[in-house]
Amino acid sequence: MEDVDFDDEGAEEPDAEAWETEDDEGVEDGMEAQDDSEVTFSLHSASVFCVSLDPKTNTLAVTGGEDDKAFVWRVSDGELLFECSGHKDSVTCAGFSHDSVFVATGDMSGLIKVWRVDAKEEVWSFEVGDLEWMEWHPQAHVLLAGTADGNSWMWKIPNGDCKTFQGPACPATCGRILPDGKRAVVGYEDGTMRIWDLKQGTSLHVLKGQDGHQDPLTCVASNQDGSLIMTGSVDCHAKLVNSATGKVVCVFKMESMAPKAPAGEGEEAESNSVESLGFCNVMPLAAVGYLDGTLAIYDLSTQSLRHKCQHESGIVQLLWEESSAVVYTCSLDGAVRLWDARSGKMISEYRGHSAEILDFTVNKDASIVVTTSGDHQAKVFCVQRPDR
């Protein structure tokens, strides 16, 4: 609890932390005072929306921003490798293929480009409707993307062979290829969710009505073997689904902490939603991050709430460490936090951004975190953990 109190004081009286930042010129607020990062990448001139690491070596990052630019750069020193040029709208999606041979960048208007990393050259581009999400196949040079017209698209790269999966007439808000590489789960704005057979182009299961969500889906995840799917929504529910049967196993509801405000007394008080979720690889646990700053750790074997970890501000994204029960969160207050899901306690906190963190990723051995922010920067943090 002391940590929380200290943060509160810092926010109210900037001089509470002044001793740390005596020689820092031009620090407007406490948020900027502390910089725990090792490397800062500053080539973007507006908010940086997305980041991915190359899966093979974890030495390269790709970032995309509101400045209509995407860059591939070296994590060790922030050195630019090449710019993914030619976008005419905010770059909101960027990622490397499973073997790091290609990098794909996608902008809001639906222009997707693929570059060969070693040659630093564009090998393919395609225009779809307004882009909602984009993801590489876990084992092949295949790209999947969801658009605002409800379609999901799949392309072989670089030859461009294409298949579309027609959803309802509303945005395909989130999607994930399951670990078997044969199916994808896609969530839609109308609260429905579909599991698609990628080869046949047919939908294996449709969850709607009582089985679906009452509001748009915001995120979807699967466990390591793909047997379980979790969906999150603006309706504040997280649903656990058996991917083979398409049946809802259970629903995790976050009961509101504050009593419900009577109607008409400002909607703000009630706006909460599931922003991010994920499964632990080493224990039967799932984490759900909410807009109100709650990180909930659920026990899948008992289908019950195990811990509630409170953040000062909304959670933007969470990620589990590959091989331990540690959850990373990034939030609107600009900090990255590590949580021990077994105890529910915070392990450490890293600061350095002067605005909200919009995306982040963790490398395979969980030694670095790369973040992007509304402060126009991407940063690399080294994660030191006493137990390793």
Side-chain angles (χ1 to χ4, degrees):
M1 278 314 284
E2 293 84 9
D3 299 353
V4 176
D5 295 342
F6 179 75
D7 280 351
D8 285 350
E9 283 162 30
E12 260 126 73
E13 326 144 11
D15 23 303
E17 292 184 323
W19 52 273
E20 274 184 32
T21 60
E22 221 95 88
D23 26 344
D24 276 9
E25 303 287 296
V27 171
E28 292 94 36
D29 52 17
M31 224 164 163
E32 227 170 338
Q34 178 186 344
D35 190 355
D36 305 318
S37 67
E38 300 295 316
V39 174
T40 300
F41 179 81
S42 320
L43 283 185
H44 286 281
S45 56
S47 291
V48 191
F49 289 135
C50 54
V51 59
S52 289
L53 283 171
D54 86 277
K56 202 168 180 188
T57 67
N58 281 191
T59 57
L60 301 177
V62 58
T63 49
E66 196 181 8
D67 52 6
D68 308 351
K69 290 188 184 304
F71 299 104
V72 174
W73 48 278
R74 235 181 6 226
V75 174
S76 56
D77 54 6
E79 194 63 41
L80 178 69
L81 208 67
F82 64 96
E83 179 180 342
C84 307
S85 52
H87 285 287
K88 302 216 172 3
D89 205 341
S90 297
V91 178
T92 48
C93 303
F96 292 89
S97 59
H98 70 284
D99 55 5
S100 303
V101 169
F102 298 114
V103 65
T105 54
D107 67 34
M108 277 174 88
S109 72
L111 177 61
I112 298 174
K113 290 173 172 284
V114 175
W115 314 75
R116 207 183 155 87
V117 177
D118 58 6
K120 306 178 183 180
E121 65 182 23
E122 186 180 322
V123 293
W124 181 84
S125 81
F126 195 88
E127 230 164 315
V128 291
D130 291 357
L131 188 64
E132 295 279 335
W133 55 271
M134 179 181 84
E135 178 172 278
W136 281 98
H137 190 282
Q139 298 103 13
H141 291 153
V142 167
L143 197 58
L144 198 69
T147 51
D149 56 15
N151 285 326
S152 298
W153 299 72
M154 185 171 74
W155 302 275
K156 277 190 183 157
I157 304 297
N159 73 15
D161 288 355
C162 176
K163 199 177 269 180
T164 57
F165 306 88
Q166 217 169 348
C170 67
T173 48
C174 53
R176 185 54 55 93
I177 299 175
L178 293 179
D180 63 12
K182 296 177 175 155
R183 299 168 296 161
V185 50
V186 180
Y188 299 89
E189 196 177 73
D190 63 1
T192 62
M193 188 262 278
R194 283 166 173 71
I195 300 174
W196 292 96
D197 180 317
L198 295 178
K199 201 170 186 149
Q200 306 300 327
T202 54
S203 87
L204 299 167
H205 302 288
V206 180
L207 280 80
K208 57 184 182 186
Q210 283 302 103
D211 286 341
H213 287 273
Q214 300 314 299
D215 288 305
L217 271 82
T218 50
C219 47
V220 59
S222 85
N223 63 348
Q224 215 173 7
D225 66 7
S227 59
L228 290 173
I229 293 167
M230 206 170 198
T231 58
S233 163
V234 175
D235 66 11
C236 274
H237 293 176
K239 297 201 173 201
L240 193 63
V241 177
N242 177 319
S243 74
T245 63
K247 294 275 178 281
V248 176
V249 180
C250 75
V251 182
F252 296 115
K253 304 178 184 180
M254 183 46 71
E255 66 293 338
S256 179
M257 290 311 287
K260 281 209 167 175
E265 241 189 73
E267 289 295 285
E268 299 321 302
E270 277 191 63
S271 67
N272 191 13
S273 73
V274 174
E275 293 297 303
S276 186
L277 38 74
F279 291 86
C280 178
N281 287 340
V282 295
M283 289 174 77
L285 302 174
V288 181
Y290 298 85
L291 187 58
D292 72 354
T294 307
L295 167 65
I297 307 291
Y298 293 106
D299 189 319
L300 299 178
S301 45
T302 58
Q303 299 180 3
S304 59
L305 178 69
R306 185 155 164 171
H307 296 295
K308 259 168 120 167
C309 314
Q310 212 49 54
H311 294 62
E312 297 291 295
S313 60
I315 295 172
V316 176
Q317 200 195 335
L318 65 83
L319 291 168
W320 284 90
E321 207 168 89
E322 187 94 352
S323 49
S324 74
V326 173
V327 186
Y328 293 61
T329 58
C330 70
S331 65
L332 295 172
D333 65 3
V336 173
R337 295 178 178 85
L338 277 65
W339 303 84
D340 183 334
R342 293 163 306 186
S343 65
K345 294 206 169 16
M346 186 169 84
I347 299 168
S348 53
E349 173 179 292
Y350 298 90
R351 291 180 179 273
H353 286 292
S354 59
E356 70 283 6
I357 294 177
L358 298 170
D359 193 17
F360 82 109
T361 186
V362 181
N363 68 344
K364 272 202 279 285
D365 67 5
S367 57
I368 66 162
V369 174
V370 187
T371 54
T372 65
S373 165
D375 65 8
H376 308 179
Q377 294 183 329
K379 283 180 176 285
V380 181
F381 295 88
C382 285
V383 180
Q384 258 84 38
R385 288 250 307 279
D387 55 320
R388 296 199 289 230

